């Protein structure tokens, strides 16, 4: 199979899984293992094409980003007026700081099949715990999320640095445990995904600049565009799905995926 076909396949997988709490990074690592598409360049490729799917969210929430930007210009950070840039910063900073401190360790030690399988199972257990939580909901919509909840969701997002946990799975579960509705947690997760993934992709491309050549950039462009186009088709349906379907169903899928991969690849 050619590298171009591998890039297209991985782009499709990314576009289909980015918005579900099943770990798009985990799927990409497992698929890359099956396709023999691994190594430093492959890790960078998998991070960059996530940006293609996330850009679909930018188009979906563009009005919300404009409103947050307008409030930032006016220096209007009143929580009573809904979500603002402080909510987003509180949710993004914990994972960003940990990534900057441990990115080399994360990429060298965690981007492999066994860590992904552990993340899939552990993330699934977290989702079951969150789904069965009896915590009183204090935020039905993301505009009702307060600063303490935003920071707590940011701490849960740190789990997503371990491939297999899933960014959306960790943050939605965290939101449920902290008293937000699943819909509010999902909306907030998708909203903060754009700056988080954009920053991660830019940093990773900069760190890997000496290892990449024109062929690598070409493959990344193909994967990026494939991911973006697939995500544009899937994003609305999947966002509705994640808001309505109970987290246990996604946890069950993660357990089945982990079991099948263990039997097929690691035995």
């Amino acid at each position: 199979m050619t590298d171009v076909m591998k890039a297209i396949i991985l782009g499709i997988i990314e576009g289909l899984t980015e918005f579900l709490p099943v770990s798009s990074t985990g799927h990409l690592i497992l698929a890359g293992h099956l396709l023999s598409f691994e190594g430093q360049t492959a890790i960078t490729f998998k991070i960059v094409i996530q940006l293609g799917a996330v850009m679909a969210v930018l188009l979906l929430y563009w009005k919300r980003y404009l409103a947050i930007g307008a409030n930032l210009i006016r220096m209007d950070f009143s929580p009573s007026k809904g979500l603002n840039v402080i909510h987003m910063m509180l949710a993004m900073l914990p994972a960003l700081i940990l990534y900057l401190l441990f990115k080399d360790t994360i990429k060298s030690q965690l981007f492999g099949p066994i860590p992904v399988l552990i993340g899939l199972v552990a993330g699934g257990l977290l989702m079951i715990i969150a789904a069965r939580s009896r915590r009183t909901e204090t935020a039905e919509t993301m505009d009702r999320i307060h600063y303490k909840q935003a920071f707590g969701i940011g701490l849960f997002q740190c789990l997503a640095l371990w491939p297999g946990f899933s960014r959306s799975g960790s943050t939605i579960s965290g939101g449920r445990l902290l008293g937000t509705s699943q819909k509010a947690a999902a909306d907030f997760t998708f909203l903060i995904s754009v700056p988080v993934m954009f920053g991660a992709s830019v940093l990773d491309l900069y760190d890997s600049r000496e290892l990449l050549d024109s062929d690598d950039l070409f493959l990344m462009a193909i994967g990026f565009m494939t991911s973006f186009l697939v995500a544009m088709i899937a994003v609305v349906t999947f966002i509705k799905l994640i808001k309505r379907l109970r987290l246990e169903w996604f946890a069950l899928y993660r357990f089945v995926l982990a079991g099948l991969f263990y039997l097929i690849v690691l035995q």
Side-chain angles (χ1 to χ4, degrees), residues 178-218:
L178 294 169
T180 76
S181 68
Q182 188 165 313
K183 178 181 183 300
D187 278 329
F188 188 54
T189 293
F190 297 138
L191 193 71
I192 64 176
S193 67
V194 172
V196 167
M197 288 309 304
F198 180 80
S201 297
V202 170
L203 283 173
D204 197 74
L205 275 175
Y206 178 79
D207 289 341
S208 304
R209 63 191 184 281
E210 296 180 356
L211 301 175
L212 303 175
D213 55 33
S214 57
D215 291 337
D216 296 327
L217 295 177
F218 175 67

Side-chain angles (χ1 to χ4, degrees), residues 65-77 84-86:
Y65 287 113
L66 285 179
I68 292 174
N71 289 338
L72 177 60
I73 293 173
R74 292 195 297 267
M75 301 297 288
D76 184 358
F77 305 130
N84 60 51
V85 70
I86 295 180

Side-chain angles (χ1 to χ4, degrees), residues 44-55:
T44 301
F45 172 86
K46 293 163 188 173
I47 292 175
V48 170
I49 65 170
Q50 288 180 324
L51 186 59
V54 170
M55 296 309 285

Side-chain angles (χ1 to χ4, degrees), residues 23 26 29-30 105-123 161-165 254 261 266:
S23 179
I29 292 174
L30 298 181
T105 300
I106 291 170
K107 291 168 67 174
S108 63
Q109 301 297 322
L110 299 182
F111 275 69
I114 293 179
V116 169
L117 294 181
I118 294 172
L120 284 169
V121 173
L161 296 176
W162 185 297
F165 261 95
R254 295 163 67 100
F261 191 81
L266 299 180

Side-chain angles (χ1 to χ4, degrees), residues 96-146:
L96 176 61
I97 292 172
L98 279 182
Y99 179 73
L100 291 175
L101 289 174
F102 300 107
K103 60 182 178 180
D104 292 336
T105 300
I106 291 170
K107 291 168 67 174
S108 63
Q109 301 297 322
L110 299 182
F111 275 69
I114 293 179
V116 169
L117 294 181
I118 294 172
L120 284 169
V121 173
L125 293 174
L126 173 64
M127 291 164 67
I128 291 174
I129 293 171
R132 298 183 178 181
S133 170
R134 298 183 181 274
R135 181 72 178 267
T136 301
E137 291 184 1
T138 59
E140 180 62 31
T141 68
M142 68 175 169
D143 280 321
R144 297 294 301 275
I145 293 175
H146 52 68

